[in-house]
Structure formats: structure tokens, C-alpha cells
Amino acid sequence: MTVDVIVTRVESLLSRHRCGPVAVAGWRRLEPYAIARARLEGGERVIVKWMRPHPGAARHATSQRLRTEVAALRFLSDDLASGLAPRVIAADLDAELVVLEDLAPRTALDGLLRAEGATAHAEGLAAFARIRGELSAATAGRSALYGVRRRALGPAGAAERFPGFREEGRRQAARLGVPIEGEAERELAAALEELEHPGPFLALSNGDPEANNVLVHATGDPDARLIDFEFAGYTHALHDAVCLHVPGPGWVSVDAAFAGGYRRALAAGLPEAEDDRRYGFGLAAACFSYVLVRLERLAKVEARPPGDGSRIQLVATLEAAARTADEHRSLPHLAGWARRLAALLRRRWPDTDLDLDDRTAFPPYTPRRR
């Protein structure tokens, strides 16, 4: 769609919603996303989001993502009055268009970290960890209510965002001669069972719990907000804690020092999070599940040239998951498997044989070179 077409549709949607003429006076596309910040006549600012085709995705799948986002945001604001995410001002789901509350002057945390480093934005990282825990605490035990709201907007599609990735990750590890077997395989089965049946830990996630999807104040004000709920759904709450322990797609290193704030916020609404054994097991399980998803890329990463940041990132991911399991005294055989595979990759890729504990070379939130 051209800008003129989108603007016309936004004006029509808001005019219907407000029962009176609404005109767009300013428009700025937030590249590279299908998102814009619009200024309405009178000065109000809103965020406009529309769907565009994604490579390899059917049109109905992109439409489902927008419906999922609208359902999740209305669930949080209208049903739970949580204030954790932007309000939906108006939506035309047939036209695949939604107008959201503008959360400025908040800005994405990952941009601040890349520009100025983790030390300069410790308050933002603390807010990031805290709001992830608050989301799970606020939504635990409310899956039926969310389900009603989501079904009212049409079929939700498959719940699994990365179908088959974990099994492919296992195959990639076995291909290199480090299969998950014996006690490690039994631990993995128990871990996946925990994630499949989370019990009281069942909570809403936005589906992409990374620093680019939390908006914070650059000044350190703790009032953060979560965005991007296209892949939202109920899952094990501790999937949302993995990003505090294991580097996500954009980073080589993270800082688990902020995880205590996440756990305290989670426990405020989910007392089971205070149980060290249960919390540690669930967290380690979620970390290794994430490791397997990332290992799906192993053959692609190996084909990249020496020095590519995705290589050291994969090693860091394995070692961070093992370290997290060790710290929580959980899944020791899976931790051993991860360390063996990391050691093999360090030998196979000499450019990755670096000291990841050297905080001068790899401070928290060191970006992955692309």
C-alpha cells in the first residue's frame, strides 16, 4: 500500500471510530517496519501499524498476527487494566490496519544499549526485567479469558512459532558428533514436559521477549511498556526470562544481574516462583529449549566466514545456558552436553576461541556483528 492509501484508510477508520472527521496532519514511517507515527490535526499523536507480506508466509498468517496483537492488547488494557502495553485506539482487521496509543517519549531499549552501552542504561534494563515479570504475574491464571477474546477475532493458527526447530537443532548437534543421549536425553524429556505443561506458570507472552520490544525512558524513568504482540500466546512464563540469561539474536552477551527483579515481579502474582527448585528447573528448561531453537541455524552459521558474529554468539548461547543450569543446580547432564558442544565449536571455529568472561572485550549487551 502507498502512503496516501494508508493515510486515507487511517482517517476513515478514526472518523468512524470517533463519529466525526479526523485528518492526519503529519506522517513519519518508522523504518524498516510497517509502522508509522502519525500526527492528527489538533496535535494528538498515534502509532499506525499495518500488515505487509512476509517472505514465505501466507496472507492468512499475517492477518492472524494482527488479530492476535489486537486481542492481546485489548486483553491487557480492557480486561486486566494492566497498563503494560499500548492501548488499541481503533482497528480495521479486514483492512489489516490498527491505530495504537503512542508511547513516546519512551524508546526501544535495544537502541539505547547499542548506542551507549548497558552501564548507561541500567535503569532501563531493570525496568525491562521487571515488566517481563509483571506481564506473567498479571496474566497467570487468566488464559480462559484471553482465549475468549482471541477466538472472537477468528482462528488463531498454530501455537508453535518455530515448528520443528528444536528437533532440527538436535539433528545438527548429532551431525557434529555431540548428540543428546543417555541422562541428557532423559533430562531433556523432563524439561520439555515441564514447558508443555506449565501448571501455574502458564502466562501470556508477547512471543518475542527481547530488548527491542520494550520501550523505556532514556532518562531512567522506570515506567516501561511492552510492544509487538503479533506472536502473543499463553506459554510457560519462564520462556520470558531466558533473554535475561542467554543472549538473544542481537547480542553476544547479556547480564543476568537484573534477573532478580524479574523473579520478584513474577512472584508478586505467582507465589510458586519463590520455590528455588521449581523456578530453577523451569528456567533451565526454557534456556535449553531456546538453545535447541538456535542450533537449527548451525549449518548456516558454519558456512559463514570466520569472524562472523553469529559464530561466537552461538558458542556464547550454549555456554550461558549451561552456566544458568549450574547456578540453579538443575539439568546437569544437559549442561554438560552444552559445554561439550561449545568446546567442539571453539575447536572447529578457531575465531570463536575467545574469553567470553572478559568484560573489557565482551561487556554486557555486546552487539552481534552482522
Side-chain angles (χ1 to χ4, degrees):
M1 288 189 290
T2 66
V3 171
D4 288 344
V5 169
I6 298 171
V7 168
T8 297
R9 291 184 178 182
V10 169
E11 291 176 333
S12 176
L13 172 61
L14 289 175
S15 295
R16 295 194 308 271
H17 177 70
R18 295 180 173 177
C19 301
V22 174
V24 172
W27 182 270
R28 181 167 65 88
R29 175 80 178 270
L30 304 180
E31 299 283 0
Y33 310 106
I35 300 173
R37 171 168 282 121
R39 179 173 53 83
L40 308 182
E41 285 189 351
E44 179 184 358
R45 296 179 185 274
V46 297
I47 295 295
V48 178
K49 187 171 186 177
W50 62 96
M51 286 289 103
R52 62 183 177 187
H54 284 242
R59 184 171 183 84
H60 72 88
T62 60
S63 178
Q64 284 177 354
R65 290 204 300 269
L66 188 64
R67 293 169 189 271
T68 294
E69 178 152 43
V70 169
L73 294 179
R74 285 179 169 162
F75 171 63
L76 291 172
S77 64
D78 299 354
D79 296 333
L80 303 186
S82 71
L84 296 172
R87 292 180 298 104
V88 175
I89 295 172
D92 185 338
L93 296 176
D94 292 331
E96 299 181 344
L97 181 71
V98 61
V99 179
L100 303 173
E101 173 189 10
D102 188 351
L103 298 172
R106 299 176 187 86
T107 188
L109 176 60
D110 73 320
L112 297 174
L113 295 175
R114 291 175 188 278
E116 301 174 23
T119 301
H121 293 286
E123 296 90 347
L125 283 163
F128 171 46
R130 185 171 56 251
I131 199 170
R132 295 237 63 94
E134 289 172 350
L135 175 65
S136 296
T139 59
R142 311 301 294 274
S143 60
L145 181 59
Y146 170 74
V148 170
R149 186 173 281 279
R150 180 60 188 87
R151 288 190 296 273
L153 298 182
E160 175 61 74
R161 183 177 178 184
F162 302 107
F165 277 29
R166 292 181 185 86
E167 280 307 308
E168 179 58 25
R170 292 189 65 174
R171 285 191 288 270
Q172 292 287 345
R175 178 181 66 84
L176 290 184
V178 191
I180 300 176
E181 57 189 4
E183 289 300 322
E185 186 169 26
R186 283 186 278 276
E187 286 183 355
L188 178 61
L192 296 180
E193 176 70 14
E194 165 71 16
L195 299 176
E196 181 69 21
H197 300 97
F201 283 87
L202 184 66
L204 184 73
S205 171
N206 72 333
D208 190 5
E210 294 291 340
N212 59 306
N213 288 327
V214 62
L215 303 185
V216 300
H217 291 273
T219 59
D221 186 314
D223 189 23
R225 295 288 188 277
L226 297 170
I227 60 170
D228 195 356
F229 283 74
E230 290 182 16
F231 293 96
Y234 266 77
T235 187
H236 199 296
L238 291 174
H239 281 300
D240 275 15
V242 171
C243 59
L244 303 172
H245 298 268
V246 177
W251 312 107
V252 174
S253 57
V254 293
D255 191 346
F258 298 98
Y262 165 85
R263 187 177 180 183
R264 286 189 295 274
L266 177 63
L270 191 64
E272 289 84 355
E274 296 179 347
D275 182 330
D276 287 344
R277 186 204 62 79
R278 187 161 192 180
Y279 181 88
F281 178 66
L283 176 61
C287 286
F288 284 117
S289 172
Y290 179 77
V291 162
L292 290 176
V293 169
R294 297 300 287 171
L295 281 176
E296 180 270 344
R297 309 161 55 251
L298 200 153
K300 298 175 186 175
V301 171
E302 185 163 46
R304 293 171 181 167
D308 186 281
S310 59
R311 288 183 162 198
I312 189 63
Q313 181 201 46
L314 196 53
V315 171
T317 298
L318 287 158
E319 293 178 350
R323 183 168 57 251
T324 301
D326 290 345
E327 290 170 352
H328 290 272
R329 297 181 176 85
S330 191
L331 302 179
H333 299 283
L334 271 178
W337 162 81
R339 282 192 292 269
R340 289 193 299 275
L341 180 54
L344 181 147
L345 292 178
R346 283 177 177 272
R347 294 192 299 272
R348 194 178 184 93
W349 303 333
D351 54 298
T352 69
D353 195 18
L354 305 171
D355 183 4
L356 289 168
D357 293 327
D358 180 356
R359 289 303 178 100
T360 60
F362 295 100
Y365 297 92
T366 297
R368 173 169 69 94
R369 296 190 305 275
R370 298 174 188 251

